[in-house]
Coordinates of all heavy atoms in Angstrom, one line a residue:
A10 N -12.2 2.0 12.8 CA -12.7 1.4 11.5 C -14.0 2.1 11.1 O -14.8 2.4 11.9 CB -12.8 -0.1 11.7
E11 N -14.1 2.2 9.8 CA -15.4 2.7 9.2 C -16.1 1.5 8.6 O -15.4 0.8 7.8 CB -15.1 3.8 8.2 CG -14.4 5.0 8.7 CD -14.1 6.0 7.6 OE1 -14.9 6.2 6.7 OE2 -12.9 6.4 7.5
I12 N -17.3 1.3 8.9 CA -18.1 0.2 8.3 C -18.8 0.6 7.1 O -19.7 1.5 7.1 CB -19.1 -0.4 9.3 CG1 -18.3 -0.8 10.6 CG2 -19.8 -1.6 8.8 CD1 -17.2 -1.8 10.5
L13 N -18.5 0.0 5.9 CA -19.1 0.4 4.6 C -19.6 -0.9 3.9 O -19.1 -2.0 4.3 CB -18.2 1.1 3.7 CG -17.6 2.5 4.2 CD1 -16.6 3.0 3.2 CD2 -18.8 3.5 4.4
G14 N -20.4 -0.7 2.9 CA -20.7 -1.9 2.1 C -19.6 -2.2 1.1 O -18.7 -1.4 0.8
G15 N -19.6 -3.4 0.6 CA -18.5 -3.9 -0.3 C -18.4 -3.0 -1.5 O -17.3 -2.7 -2.0
D16 N -19.6 -2.6 -2.1 CA -19.5 -1.8 -3.3 C -19.0 -0.4 -3.0 O -18.3 0.3 -3.8 CB -20.9 -1.6 -3.9 CG -21.4 -2.9 -4.5 OD1 -20.6 -3.8 -4.8 OD2 -22.6 -3.1 -4.7
E17 N -19.3 0.1 -1.8 CA -18.8 1.4 -1.4 C -17.3 1.4 -1.3 O -16.6 2.4 -1.7 CB -19.4 1.9 -0.1 CG -20.9 2.1 -0.1 CD -21.5 2.4 1.2 OE1 -21.5 1.5 2.1 OE2 -22.0 3.6 1.4
I18 N -16.7 0.4 -0.7 CA -15.3 0.2 -0.6 C -14.6 0.1 -2.0 O -13.7 0.8 -2.3 CB -14.9 -1.0 0.3 CG1 -15.3 -0.8 1.7 CG2 -13.4 -1.2 0.2 CD1 -15.1 -2.0 2.6
A19 N -15.2 -0.7 -2.9 CA -14.7 -0.9 -4.2 C -14.7 0.4 -5.0 O -13.7 0.7 -5.7 CB -15.6 -1.9 -5.0
A20 N -15.7 1.3 -4.8 CA -15.7 2.6 -5.5 C -14.6 3.5 -5.1 O -14.2 4.4 -5.8 CB -17.1 3.3 -5.2
L21 N -14.0 3.3 -3.9 CA -12.9 4.1 -3.4 C -11.5 3.6 -3.8 O -10.5 4.3 -3.6 CB -13.0 4.2 -1.9 CG -14.2 4.9 -1.3 CD1 -14.2 4.8 0.2 CD2 -14.2 6.4 -1.7
L22 N -11.5 2.4 -4.4 CA -10.2 1.8 -4.8 C -9.9 1.9 -6.2 O -10.8 2.1 -7.1 CB -10.2 0.3 -4.3 CG -10.5 0.1 -2.9 CD1 -10.5 -1.4 -2.6 CD2 -9.4 0.7 -2.0
P23 N -8.6 1.8 -6.6 CA -8.2 1.8 -8.1 C -8.9 0.6 -8.8 O -9.2 -0.4 -8.2 CB -6.7 1.6 -8.0 CG -6.3 2.0 -6.6 CD -7.4 1.6 -5.7
P24 N -9.1 0.7 -10.1 CA -9.6 -0.4 -10.9 C -8.8 -1.6 -10.8 O -7.6 -1.6 -10.8 CB -9.6 0.2 -12.3 CG -9.6 1.7 -12.2 CD -8.8 1.9 -10.9
G25 N -9.5 -2.8 -10.6 CA -8.8 -4.0 -10.5 C -8.4 -4.4 -9.1 O -8.0 -5.6 -8.9
A26 N -8.5 -3.5 -8.1 CA -8.1 -3.9 -6.8 C -9.2 -4.7 -6.2 O -10.4 -4.5 -6.3 CB -8.0 -2.6 -5.9
V27 N -8.8 -5.8 -5.5 CA -9.7 -6.7 -4.8 C -9.6 -6.6 -3.3 O -8.5 -6.8 -2.7 CB -9.4 -8.2 -5.2 CG1 -10.4 -9.2 -4.5 CG2 -9.4 -8.4 -6.7
H28 N -10.7 -6.1 -2.7 CA -10.5 -5.7 -1.3 C -10.9 -6.8 -0.3 O -10.5 -6.8 0.9 CB -11.3 -4.5 -1.0 CG -12.8 -4.6 -1.3 ND1 -13.7 -5.2 -0.4 CD2 -13.5 -4.1 -2.3 CE1 -14.9 -5.2 -0.9 NE2 -14.8 -4.5 -2.1
Q29 N -11.8 -7.8 -0.7 CA -12.2 -8.8 0.2 C -12.8 -8.3 1.6 O -12.6 -8.9 2.6 CB -11.1 -9.8 0.5 CG -10.6 -10.6 -0.8 CD -9.5 -11.5 -0.6 OE1 -8.4 -11.1 -0.1 NE2 -9.7 -12.7 -0.9
G30 N -13.4 -7.2 1.5 CA -14.1 -6.6 2.7 C -13.3 -5.8 3.6 O -13.7 -5.3 4.6
I31 N -12.0 -5.5 3.2 CA -11.2 -4.7 4.1 C -10.2 -3.9 3.2 O -9.7 -4.4 2.2 CB -10.4 -5.5 5.1 CG1 -9.6 -4.7 6.0 CG2 -9.5 -6.6 4.4 CD1 -9.0 -5.4 7.2
A32 N -10.0 -2.6 3.6 CA -9.1 -1.7 2.9 C -8.5 -0.8 3.9 O -9.2 -0.2 4.7 CB -9.7 -1.0 1.7
L33 N -7.2 -0.5 3.7 CA -6.5 0.3 4.6 C -5.7 1.4 3.8 O -4.9 1.0 2.9 CB -5.5 -0.4 5.5 CG -4.6 0.4 6.5 CD1 -5.5 1.0 7.6 CD2 -3.5 -0.5 7.1
K34 N -5.9 2.6 4.1 CA -5.2 3.7 3.5 C -4.0 4.1 4.4 O -4.2 4.3 5.6 CB -6.1 5.0 3.3 CG -5.3 6.1 2.6 CD -6.3 7.3 2.5 CE -5.5 8.5 1.8 NZ -6.4 9.7 1.7
V35 N -2.8 4.1 3.8 CA -1.6 4.4 4.6 C -0.8 5.5 4.0 O -1.0 5.9 2.8 CB -0.8 3.1 4.8 CG1 -1.5 2.1 5.6 CG2 -0.3 2.6 3.4
T36 N 0.1 6.0 4.7 CA 1.0 7.0 4.1 C 1.9 6.4 3.1 O 2.2 5.2 3.1 CB 1.9 7.7 5.2 OG1 2.5 6.6 6.0 CG2 1.1 8.5 6.2
P37 N 2.4 7.2 2.1 CA 3.3 6.6 1.1 C 4.5 6.0 1.6 O 5.0 6.3 2.7 CB 3.5 7.8 0.2 CG 2.5 8.8 0.5 CD 2.2 8.6 1.9
L38 N 5.1 5.1 0.8 CA 6.4 4.6 1.1 C 7.5 5.7 1.0 O 7.3 6.6 0.3 CB 6.8 3.5 0.1 CG 6.1 2.1 0.3 CD1 6.3 1.3 -1.0 CD2 6.5 1.4 1.5
P39 N 8.5 5.6 1.8 CA 9.6 6.7 1.8 C 10.3 6.6 0.4 O 10.4 5.6 -0.2 CB 10.5 6.3 2.9 CG 10.3 4.8 3.1 CD 8.9 4.6 2.8
E40 N 10.7 7.8 -0.1 CA 11.5 7.9 -1.3 C 13.0 7.7 -0.9 O 13.6 8.5 -0.3 CB 11.3 9.2 -2.0 CG 9.8 9.4 -2.5 CD 9.6 10.6 -3.3 OE1 10.6 11.4 -3.5 OE2 8.5 10.9 -3.7
L41 N 13.5 6.6 -1.4 CA 14.9 6.2 -1.0 C 15.9 6.3 -2.2 O 15.5 6.1 -3.3 CB 14.9 4.8 -0.5 CG 14.0 4.4 0.8 CD1 14.1 2.9 1.1 CD2 14.4 5.3 2.0
T42 N 17.1 6.6 -1.9 CA 18.2 6.6 -2.9 C 18.6 5.1 -2.9 O 18.3 4.3 -2.1 CB 19.3 7.5 -2.5 OG1 19.9 7.0 -1.3 CG2 18.9 8.9 -2.3
V43 N 19.4 4.8 -4.0 CA 20.0 3.5 -4.1 C 20.8 3.1 -2.8 O 20.7 2.0 -2.3 CB 20.9 3.4 -5.3 CG1 21.7 2.0 -5.4 CG2 20.0 3.5 -6.6
D44 N 21.6 4.1 -2.4 CA 22.5 3.9 -1.2 C 21.6 3.6 0.0 O 21.9 2.7 0.8 CB 23.3 5.1 -1.0 CG 24.4 4.9 0.0 OD1 24.9 3.8 0.2 OD2 24.9 5.9 0.7
E45 N 20.6 4.4 0.2 CA 19.7 4.2 1.4 C 19.0 2.8 1.3 O 18.9 2.1 2.3 CB 18.7 5.3 1.5 CG 19.3 6.6 1.8 CD 18.3 7.8 1.6 OE1 17.3 7.6 0.9 OE2 18.5 8.9 2.2
A46 N 18.5 2.5 0.2 CA 17.7 1.2 0.0 C 18.6 0.0 0.3 O 18.2 -1.0 0.9 CB 17.1 1.1 -1.4
C47 N 19.9 0.1 -0.2 CA 20.8 -1.1 -0.1 C 21.6 -1.1 1.2 O 22.4 -2.0 1.3 CB 21.7 -1.0 -1.3 SG 20.9 -1.2 -2.9
D48 N 21.4 -0.2 2.1 CA 22.1 -0.2 3.3 C 21.9 -1.5 4.1 O 20.8 -1.8 4.5 CB 21.7 1.0 4.2 CG 22.5 1.1 5.5 OD1 23.7 0.7 5.5 OD2 22.0 1.6 6.5
G49 N 23.0 -2.2 4.3 CA 22.9 -3.5 5.1 C 22.4 -4.7 4.3 O 22.4 -5.8 4.8
A50 N 22.1 -4.5 3.0 CA 21.6 -5.6 2.2 C 22.8 -6.4 1.5 O 23.8 -5.8 1.1 CB 20.7 -5.1 1.1
S51 N 22.7 -7.7 1.4 CA 23.7 -8.5 0.7 C 23.1 -9.0 -0.6 O 23.9 -9.4 -1.5 CB 24.1 -9.7 1.6 OG 23.0 -10.5 1.9
R52 N 21.8 -9.0 -0.8 CA 21.2 -9.3 -2.0 C 20.2 -8.3 -2.4 O 19.4 -7.8 -1.6 CB 20.5 -10.7 -1.9 CG 21.5 -11.9 -1.9 CD 20.8 -13.2 -1.9 NE 20.0 -13.5 -0.8 CZ 20.4 -13.8 0.4 NH1 21.7 -14.0 0.6 NH2 19.6 -14.1 1.4
V53 N 20.2 -7.9 -3.7 CA 19.4 -6.8 -4.2 C 18.7 -7.3 -5.5 O 19.4 -8.0 -6.3 CB 20.2 -5.5 -4.4 CG1 19.4 -4.5 -5.2 CG2 20.7 -5.0 -3.1
V54 N 17.5 -6.9 -5.8 CA 16.8 -7.2 -7.1 C 16.7 -5.8 -7.8 O 16.4 -4.8 -7.3 CB 15.4 -7.7 -6.8 CG1 14.7 -7.9 -8.2 CG2 15.5 -9.0 -6.1

């Protein structure tokens, strides 16, 4: 973990994001096809 001030964290986030003192950068979500996303699902939105 990197310890920063609240304003420093806010400056690294998109506008409107509320961090409440913690922020985690992660790898992007996988790009899925309809078939891949729905594999095994019985209900879909």
